[in-house]
Amino acid sequence: MRSYKIAVIGGDGIGPEIVKEARKCLDAAAEMENFRLEYNEFLMGGAAIDAFGVPLPEMTLNGAKEADAVLFGAIGGSKWDALPRQLRPESGLLALRKGLDVFANFRPVKVYDPLVEASALRPEAVRGVDLLVVRELVGGIYFGEPKGRDGNRAFNTMVYSEWEVERIALAAFKAAQKRRKKLCSVDKANVLEVSQLWRETVRRVGEGFPDVELTNMYVDNAAMQLVTNPRGFDVIVTGNLFGDILSDEASVIGGSIGLLPSSSRGEKGGIFEPIHGSAPDMAGQGTANPLATILSAAMLAESLGETAAAKRIEDAVIGALERGYRTPDIARYGAIKPCTTEEMGEAVRRLICDGNDEH
Ligand code: NAD
């Protein structure tokens, strides 16, 4: 039987609750498609600081490196906000991404028909949106040196080398080839030197993909186009900072940040996580939407080559939405069955198993 090692990191806040539901769905899909998953649980973020005094214990990094994939919830919370930056929960996640060298972050944004009315944007603007943001994840201003404080000045450095742009561009062109073959590279080349190098490099990589239509857009314009004409995009490729902001903006298209999954990929393995944070305001209340994490589990299955399992999970999510299951964040429209985090996970699990949401 095919078997895979999965490192599970629940994290803080709602992290453990949503990961529990995703794992349940992943197990159900594995059973239906005849493969095995072996889980190992690890601590990261605030939970790791409380237990070991560091946000990314070596055991967690090694466990993630040895696994075929990492299923992750979210980290962070005000309890740890006063710590120095390098000891805060977020530093653990940045170090994990860097340690696994997962340089390509894929963030699909799909508007599912049952939720067209839940979007903050007009239904006619968002119906049928299906776009993918490809964000460079281990470089740019979040990691650039020098950074620091100098008296009453503070500074960070936005830096990219050609090889870093080449590999993210390559990942984005390949993704576009499997979709509608349109790639939009987003930068600030009218102002930033680093963006000029970005633009030249993406264009050069594009010469190897004559079947993909490449366009360039400044980030300020892209921020506007994303909400005025989201259907105009197929794949967007951009740097770490711009990608972080644009993909959160894109989350309003779908109706809730609790719906958006992501995968972060390098040469091998990957981290699969919702794009949202640990939502400390919702922790322990059963109100968090687990669908972003469940859809991240579908991306995890896809990365293992288990395409049928991935499809089962996504179809079951759509099935649950069609049947009116709604956590509070998406309850405004079509909430025939208002539900908790666990009830949503359970509905999806049952649909994965036998296409039926009832007991
Ligand atoms: P957040 O994403 O946690 O929450 C933003 C808003 O979205 C909140 O109103 C929250 O209630 C809501 N929300 C988030 N996830 C939801 C879900 N699954 N279902 C329904 N609603 C949901 O962002 P924040 O409040 O800025 O940050 C909270 C903590 O999370 C901070 O400590 C931050 O550093 C951390 N954070 C972690 C990650 C990560 O682990 N990848 C990402 C972003 C923020």
Short mmCIF file of all heavy atoms in Angstrom, two decimals, residues 12 14 18 44 72-81 88-90 93 97 107 244 248 256-259 273-283 287-293 327-330 341, ligand 1:
data_model
loop_
_atom_site.label_atom_id
_atom_site.label_comp_id
_atom_site.label_asym_id
_atom_site.label_seq_id
_atom_site.Cartn_x
_atom_site.Cartn_y
_atom_site.Cartn_z
N ASP A 12 -1.06 27.57 17.25
CA ASP A 12 -1.73 28.31 18.33
C ASP A 12 -3.15 28.70 17.92
O ASP A 12 -3.54 28.55 16.76
CB ASP A 12 -0.94 29.60 18.63
CG ASP A 12 0.53 29.34 18.87
OD1 ASP A 12 0.83 28.36 19.59
OD2 ASP A 12 1.36 30.09 18.32
N ILE A 14 -6.72 29.03 16.85
CA ILE A 14 -7.62 28.07 16.21
C ILE A 14 -6.86 26.97 15.47
O ILE A 14 -7.47 26.02 14.97
CB ILE A 14 -8.59 28.76 15.20
CG1 ILE A 14 -7.80 29.49 14.09
CG2 ILE A 14 -9.53 29.71 15.92
CD1 ILE A 14 -8.68 30.00 12.94
N ILE A 18 -8.66 23.52 13.61
CA ILE A 18 -8.90 23.39 12.17
C ILE A 18 -8.07 22.26 11.57
O ILE A 18 -8.52 21.56 10.67
CB ILE A 18 -8.65 24.74 11.43
CG1 ILE A 18 -7.28 25.31 11.79
CG2 ILE A 18 -9.76 25.73 11.72
CD1 ILE A 18 -6.93 26.62 11.13
N MET A 44 5.19 24.28 17.27
CA MET A 44 5.85 25.46 16.67
C MET A 44 5.11 26.70 17.17
O MET A 44 3.95 26.60 17.61
CB MET A 44 5.80 25.39 15.13
CG MET A 44 6.62 26.47 14.46
SD MET A 44 6.79 26.22 12.68
CE MET A 44 5.23 26.81 12.08
N PHE A 72 -0.14 22.23 8.39
CA PHE A 72 0.07 23.26 9.41
C PHE A 72 -1.20 24.11 9.58
O PHE A 72 -1.89 24.41 8.62
CB PHE A 72 1.28 24.12 8.97
CG PHE A 72 1.45 25.40 9.75
CD1 PHE A 72 1.52 25.39 11.14
CD2 PHE A 72 1.56 26.61 9.09
CE1 PHE A 72 1.67 26.57 11.86
CE2 PHE A 72 1.72 27.79 9.80
CZ PHE A 72 1.77 27.77 11.18
N GLY A 73 -1.46 24.50 10.86
CA GLY A 73 -2.61 25.36 11.15
C GLY A 73 -2.22 26.83 11.11
O GLY A 73 -2.16 27.44 10.04
N ALA A 74 -1.88 27.40 12.25
CA ALA A 74 -1.47 28.81 12.31
C ALA A 74 -0.78 29.05 13.65
O ALA A 74 -0.97 28.28 14.59
CB ALA A 74 -2.69 29.71 12.18
N ILE A 75 0.00 30.11 13.71
CA ILE A 75 0.68 30.43 14.97
C ILE A 75 0.46 31.90 15.34
O ILE A 75 0.06 32.71 14.50
CB ILE A 75 2.21 30.15 14.91
CG1 ILE A 75 2.80 30.59 13.56
CG2 ILE A 75 2.52 28.69 15.15
CD1 ILE A 75 3.37 31.91 13.54
N GLY A 76 0.75 32.21 16.60
CA GLY A 76 0.72 33.61 17.03
C GLY A 76 -0.37 33.90 18.04
O GLY A 76 -1.33 33.13 18.19
N GLY A 77 -0.20 35.02 18.74
CA GLY A 77 -1.18 35.44 19.73
C GLY A 77 -0.57 36.52 20.60
O GLY A 77 0.65 36.62 20.71
N SER A 78 -1.43 37.33 21.23
CA SER A 78 -0.94 38.50 21.97
C SER A 78 -0.05 38.10 23.15
O SER A 78 0.81 38.87 23.58
CB SER A 78 -2.12 39.34 22.45
OG SER A 78 -2.98 38.54 23.21
N LYS A 79 -0.24 36.86 23.66
CA LYS A 79 0.55 36.38 24.78
C LYS A 79 2.05 36.50 24.50
O LYS A 79 2.85 36.69 25.41
CB LYS A 79 0.18 34.92 25.03
CG LYS A 79 0.88 34.28 26.18
CD LYS A 79 0.40 32.83 26.37
CE LYS A 79 1.27 32.13 27.40
NZ LYS A 79 1.03 30.69 27.43
N TRP A 80 2.44 36.35 23.22
CA TRP A 80 3.87 36.33 22.89
C TRP A 80 4.32 37.61 22.18
O TRP A 80 5.45 37.69 21.70
CB TRP A 80 4.19 35.11 22.02
CG TRP A 80 3.75 33.83 22.67
CD1 TRP A 80 4.41 33.16 23.67
CD2 TRP A 80 2.56 33.08 22.40
NE1 TRP A 80 3.69 32.04 24.03
CE2 TRP A 80 2.56 31.97 23.27
CE3 TRP A 80 1.49 33.25 21.52
CZ2 TRP A 80 1.53 31.02 23.27
CZ3 TRP A 80 0.46 32.32 21.51
CH2 TRP A 80 0.50 31.21 22.39
N ASP A 81 3.41 38.61 22.08
CA ASP A 81 3.71 39.82 21.29
C ASP A 81 4.86 40.64 21.87
O ASP A 81 5.54 41.36 21.14
CB ASP A 81 2.46 40.71 21.17
CG ASP A 81 1.57 40.24 20.03
OD1 ASP A 81 2.00 39.30 19.31
OD2 ASP A 81 0.47 40.79 19.87
N ARG A 88 9.62 35.56 18.61
CA ARG A 88 8.16 35.54 18.50
C ARG A 88 7.71 34.36 17.65
O ARG A 88 8.48 33.81 16.86
CB ARG A 88 7.68 36.85 17.88
CG ARG A 88 7.76 38.01 18.86
CD ARG A 88 7.34 39.28 18.23
NE ARG A 88 6.07 39.14 17.51
CZ ARG A 88 5.25 40.14 17.28
NH1 ARG A 88 5.53 41.33 17.71
NH2 ARG A 88 4.14 39.95 16.60
N PRO A 89 6.45 33.94 17.79
CA PRO A 89 5.95 32.79 17.05
C PRO A 89 6.18 32.89 15.55
O PRO A 89 6.57 31.91 14.89
CB PRO A 89 4.45 32.80 17.37
CG PRO A 89 4.33 33.51 18.67
CD PRO A 89 5.44 34.50 18.72
N GLU A 90 5.96 34.09 14.96
CA GLU A 90 6.08 34.26 13.51
C GLU A 90 7.48 33.91 13.01
O GLU A 90 7.65 33.44 11.88
CB GLU A 90 5.74 35.71 13.11
CG GLU A 90 4.28 36.11 13.34
CD GLU A 90 3.95 36.44 14.80
OE1 GLU A 90 4.86 36.39 15.65
OE2 GLU A 90 2.76 36.71 15.08
N LEU A 93 7.76 30.30 12.02
CA LEU A 93 7.22 29.94 10.70
C LEU A 93 8.17 30.38 9.59
O LEU A 93 8.43 29.63 8.64
CB LEU A 93 5.84 30.58 10.52
CG LEU A 93 5.14 30.33 9.19
CD1 LEU A 93 5.01 28.83 8.92
CD2 LEU A 93 3.77 30.99 9.15
N ARG A 97 9.94 27.83 6.88
CA ARG A 97 9.88 28.01 5.42
C ARG A 97 11.29 28.08 4.84
O ARG A 97 11.58 27.47 3.81
CB ARG A 97 9.11 29.30 5.08
CG ARG A 97 7.64 29.21 5.36
CD ARG A 97 6.98 30.59 5.22
NE ARG A 97 5.54 30.52 5.37
CZ ARG A 97 4.74 31.58 5.54
NH1 ARG A 97 5.27 32.79 5.59
NH2 ARG A 97 3.45 31.43 5.65
N ARG A 107 -1.36 30.20 -3.85
CA ARG A 107 -2.59 30.56 -3.15
C ARG A 107 -3.75 30.66 -4.15
O ARG A 107 -3.96 31.71 -4.76
CB ARG A 107 -2.41 31.88 -2.43
CG ARG A 107 -1.37 31.82 -1.33
CD ARG A 107 -1.26 33.11 -0.59
NE ARG A 107 -0.52 32.94 0.64
CZ ARG A 107 -0.53 33.79 1.65
NH1 ARG A 107 -1.24 34.89 1.59
NH2 ARG A 107 0.17 33.56 2.74
N ASP A 244 2.07 38.75 -0.22
CA ASP A 244 1.42 38.66 1.09
C ASP A 244 0.17 39.55 1.11
O ASP A 244 -0.93 39.13 1.47
CB ASP A 244 2.43 39.12 2.16
CG ASP A 244 1.99 38.74 3.56
OD1 ASP A 244 0.94 38.11 3.71
OD2 ASP A 244 2.71 39.09 4.52
N ASP A 248 -4.05 38.40 0.64
CA ASP A 248 -5.05 38.71 1.66
C ASP A 248 -6.19 39.53 1.07
O ASP A 248 -7.36 39.33 1.38
CB ASP A 248 -4.41 39.49 2.82
CG ASP A 248 -4.03 38.58 3.98
OD1 ASP A 248 -3.73 37.39 3.70
OD2 ASP A 248 -4.04 39.03 5.14
N SER A 256 -14.66 34.86 2.61
CA SER A 256 -14.03 34.77 3.94
C SER A 256 -12.60 34.31 3.80
O SER A 256 -12.29 33.46 2.96
CB SER A 256 -14.79 33.78 4.81
OG SER A 256 -14.03 33.48 5.98
N ILE A 257 -11.75 34.83 4.69
CA ILE A 257 -10.36 34.39 4.72
C ILE A 257 -10.30 32.92 5.17
O ILE A 257 -9.33 32.22 4.89
CB ILE A 257 -9.53 35.32 5.65
CG1 ILE A 257 -8.05 35.15 5.40
CG2 ILE A 257 -9.88 35.11 7.11
CD1 ILE A 257 -7.17 36.24 5.98
N GLY A 258 -11.36 32.46 5.80
CA GLY A 258 -11.43 31.08 6.27
C GLY A 258 -11.63 30.06 5.17
O GLY A 258 -11.80 28.87 5.43
N LEU A 259 -11.61 30.52 3.92
CA LEU A 259 -11.82 29.61 2.78
C LEU A 259 -10.57 29.39 1.95
O LEU A 259 -10.56 28.55 1.05
CB LEU A 259 -12.89 30.20 1.84
CG LEU A 259 -14.30 30.30 2.38
CD1 LEU A 259 -15.14 31.21 1.49
CD2 LEU A 259 -14.93 28.92 2.46
N GLU A 273 -1.10 24.90 4.37
CA GLU A 273 -1.70 25.68 5.47
C GLU A 273 -2.72 26.68 4.94
O GLU A 273 -2.64 27.13 3.80
CB GLU A 273 -0.59 26.46 6.19
CG GLU A 273 0.20 27.35 5.26
CD GLU A 273 1.18 28.29 5.96
OE1 GLU A 273 0.75 29.01 6.88
OE2 GLU A 273 2.36 28.33 5.56
N PRO A 274 -3.71 27.04 5.81
CA PRO A 274 -4.63 28.11 5.40
C PRO A 274 -3.87 29.42 5.34
O PRO A 274 -2.81 29.54 5.97
CB PRO A 274 -5.63 28.13 6.56
CG PRO A 274 -4.86 27.63 7.74
CD PRO A 274 -3.92 26.60 7.18
N ILE A 275 -4.39 30.41 4.60
CA ILE A 275 -3.63 31.67 4.54
C ILE A 275 -3.87 32.55 5.77
O ILE A 275 -3.14 33.49 6.01
CB ILE A 275 -3.90 32.48 3.25
CG1 ILE A 275 -5.20 33.27 3.34
CG2 ILE A 275 -3.85 31.65 2.00
CD1 ILE A 275 -5.14 34.51 2.46
N HIS A 276 -4.91 32.20 6.55
CA HIS A 276 -5.21 33.07 7.70
C HIS A 276 -4.30 32.77 8.89
O HIS A 276 -3.55 31.79 8.88
CB HIS A 276 -6.68 32.93 8.09
CG HIS A 276 -7.09 31.53 8.45
ND1 HIS A 276 -6.72 30.93 9.62
CD2 HIS A 276 -7.84 30.62 7.79
CE1 HIS A 276 -7.22 29.72 9.67
NE2 HIS A 276 -7.90 29.49 8.57
N GLY A 277 -4.44 33.62 9.90
CA GLY A 277 -3.64 33.44 11.11
C GLY A 277 -4.37 32.64 12.16
O GLY A 277 -5.33 31.90 11.85
N SER A 278 -3.94 32.79 13.42
CA SER A 278 -4.43 31.93 14.50
C SER A 278 -5.74 32.44 15.11
O SER A 278 -6.26 31.82 16.03
CB SER A 278 -3.36 31.84 15.59
OG SER A 278 -3.07 33.14 16.06
N ALA A 279 -6.24 33.57 14.61
CA ALA A 279 -7.53 34.13 15.05
C ALA A 279 -7.79 33.92 16.54
O ALA A 279 -8.75 33.25 16.91
CB ALA A 279 -8.67 33.55 14.22
N PRO A 280 -6.94 34.49 17.40
CA PRO A 280 -7.10 34.24 18.84
C PRO A 280 -8.50 34.60 19.35
O PRO A 280 -8.99 33.98 20.29
CB PRO A 280 -6.06 35.16 19.49
CG PRO A 280 -5.10 35.51 18.40
CD PRO A 280 -5.83 35.43 17.11
N ASP A 281 -9.16 35.57 18.66
CA ASP A 281 -10.50 35.97 19.08
C ASP A 281 -11.52 34.83 18.96
O ASP A 281 -12.57 34.85 19.58
CB ASP A 281 -10.98 37.19 18.25
CG ASP A 281 -10.84 37.01 16.74
OD1 ASP A 281 -9.88 36.32 16.30
OD2 ASP A 281 -11.70 37.53 15.99
N MET A 282 -11.22 33.82 18.14
CA MET A 282 -12.18 32.74 17.92
C MET A 282 -11.78 31.43 18.58
O MET A 282 -12.55 30.48 18.59
CB MET A 282 -12.30 32.43 16.42
CG MET A 282 -12.45 33.61 15.53
SD MET A 282 -12.62 33.05 13.83
CE MET A 282 -14.37 33.03 13.71
N ALA A 283 -10.55 31.38 19.11
CA ALA A 283 -10.02 30.09 19.59
C ALA A 283 -10.92 29.46 20.64
O ALA A 283 -11.44 30.16 21.52
CB ALA A 283 -8.62 30.30 20.15
N THR A 287 -16.08 28.28 16.29
CA THR A 287 -16.67 29.13 15.25
C THR A 287 -15.75 29.28 14.03
O THR A 287 -16.15 29.86 13.03
CB THR A 287 -16.97 30.54 15.81
OG1 THR A 287 -15.80 31.03 16.47
CG2 THR A 287 -18.12 30.51 16.78
N ALA A 288 -14.52 28.78 14.12
CA ALA A 288 -13.57 28.95 13.00
C ALA A 288 -14.00 28.10 11.81
O ALA A 288 -14.50 26.99 11.97
CB ALA A 288 -12.17 28.55 13.44
N ASN A 289 -13.79 28.65 10.64
CA ASN A 289 -14.09 27.90 9.41
C ASN A 289 -12.90 26.98 9.10
O ASN A 289 -11.78 27.46 8.88
CB ASN A 289 -14.30 28.91 8.27
CG ASN A 289 -14.84 28.26 7.02
OD1 ASN A 289 -14.66 27.06 6.82
ND2 ASN A 289 -15.49 29.04 6.18
N PRO A 290 -13.13 25.67 9.04
CA PRO A 290 -12.01 24.76 8.79
C PRO A 290 -11.75 24.52 7.30
O PRO A 290 -10.83 23.79 6.94
CB PRO A 290 -12.48 23.46 9.44
CG PRO A 290 -13.97 23.48 9.25
CD PRO A 290 -14.39 24.93 9.29
N LEU A 291 -12.57 25.15 6.42
CA LEU A 291 -12.49 24.77 5.00
C LEU A 291 -11.15 25.15 4.36
O LEU A 291 -10.64 24.43 3.49
CB LEU A 291 -13.65 25.39 4.21
CG LEU A 291 -15.03 24.82 4.56
CD1 LEU A 291 -16.12 25.45 3.68
CD2 LEU A 291 -15.08 23.30 4.43
N ALA A 292 -10.55 26.28 4.76
CA ALA A 292 -9.24 26.65 4.18
C ALA A 292 -8.21 25.57 4.48
O ALA A 292 -7.38 25.23 3.63
CB ALA A 292 -8.78 27.99 4.76
N THR A 293 -8.27 25.02 5.68
CA THR A 293 -7.30 23.98 6.06
C THR A 293 -7.64 22.66 5.38
O THR A 293 -6.74 21.93 4.96
CB THR A 293 -7.28 23.83 7.60
OG1 THR A 293 -7.35 25.13 8.18
CG2 THR A 293 -6.00 23.15 8.06
N THR A 327 -20.29 27.96 8.53
CA THR A 327 -19.75 28.46 9.79
C THR A 327 -20.11 29.96 9.86
O THR A 327 -20.48 30.55 8.84
CB THR A 327 -18.23 28.25 9.84
OG1 THR A 327 -17.68 28.58 8.56
CG2 THR A 327 -17.88 26.82 10.20
N PRO A 328 -20.00 30.59 11.05
CA PRO A 328 -20.51 31.96 11.19
C PRO A 328 -19.93 32.96 10.20
O PRO A 328 -20.63 33.90 9.78
CB PRO A 328 -20.13 32.33 12.63
CG PRO A 328 -20.07 31.03 13.35
CD PRO A 328 -19.58 30.03 12.36
N ASP A 329 -18.67 32.79 9.79
CA ASP A 329 -18.06 33.77 8.89
C ASP A 329 -18.73 33.83 7.52
O ASP A 329 -18.65 34.86 6.84
CB ASP A 329 -16.55 33.46 8.70
CG ASP A 329 -16.32 32.07 8.18
OD1 ASP A 329 -16.96 31.12 8.69
OD2 ASP A 329 -15.51 31.89 7.26
N ILE A 330 -19.40 32.75 7.12
CA ILE A 330 -20.07 32.75 5.81
C ILE A 330 -21.58 32.52 5.96
O ILE A 330 -22.26 32.10 5.03
CB ILE A 330 -19.46 31.67 4.86
CG1 ILE A 330 -19.36 30.31 5.56
CG2 ILE A 330 -18.10 32.12 4.34
CD1 ILE A 330 -18.96 29.18 4.62
N THR A 341 -17.20 24.48 13.78
CA THR A 341 -15.98 23.99 13.11
C THR A 341 -16.06 22.47 12.92
O THR A 341 -15.84 21.94 11.82
CB THR A 341 -14.75 24.31 14.01
OG1 THR A 341 -14.80 25.69 14.36
CG2 THR A 341 -13.45 23.99 13.30
P1 NAD B 1 -6.06 36.34 11.41
O1 NAD B 1 -5.98 35.78 10.05
O2 NAD B 1 -5.78 35.40 12.53
O3 NAD B 1 -7.50 36.97 11.65
C1 NAD B 1 -8.02 38.01 10.84
C2 NAD B 1 -9.55 38.00 10.88
O4 NAD B 1 -10.03 36.87 10.17
C3 NAD B 1 -10.08 37.87 12.32
O5 NAD B 1 -11.28 38.62 12.44
C4 NAD B 1 -10.40 36.40 12.43
O6 NAD B 1 -11.41 36.13 13.38
C5 NAD B 1 -10.81 36.03 11.00
N1 NAD B 1 -10.48 34.64 10.67
C6 NAD B 1 -9.24 34.12 10.53
N2 NAD B 1 -9.31 32.81 10.28
C7 NAD B 1 -10.62 32.49 10.26
C8 NAD B 1 -11.32 31.26 10.05
N3 NAD B 1 -10.71 30.09 9.82
N4 NAD B 1 -12.66 31.30 10.09
C9 NAD B 1 -13.31 32.45 10.30
N5 NAD B 1 -12.71 33.63 10.49
C10 NAD B 1 -11.37 33.66 10.49
O7 NAD B 1 -5.07 37.59 11.45
P2 NAD B 1 -4.67 38.55 12.66
O8 NAD B 1 -5.85 38.76 13.57
O9 NAD B 1 -4.02 39.70 12.04
O10 NAD B 1 -3.56 37.76 13.45
C11 NAD B 1 -3.79 36.93 14.58
C12 NAD B 1 -2.49 36.20 14.92
O11 NAD B 1 -2.17 35.31 13.86
C13 NAD B 1 -1.30 37.14 15.06
O12 NAD B 1 -0.51 36.69 16.14
C14 NAD B 1 -0.57 37.01 13.74
O13 NAD B 1 0.81 37.27 13.86
C15 NAD B 1 -0.83 35.55 13.44
N6 NAD B 1 -0.75 35.18 11.99
C16 NAD B 1 -0.27 33.95 11.74
C17 NAD B 1 -0.24 33.51 10.41
C18 NAD B 1 0.23 32.11 10.16
O14 NAD B 1 0.37 31.33 11.09
N7 NAD B 1 0.46 31.73 8.92
C19 NAD B 1 -0.71 34.33 9.39
C20 NAD B 1 -1.21 35.59 9.70
C21 NAD B 1 -1.25 36.01 11.02
#
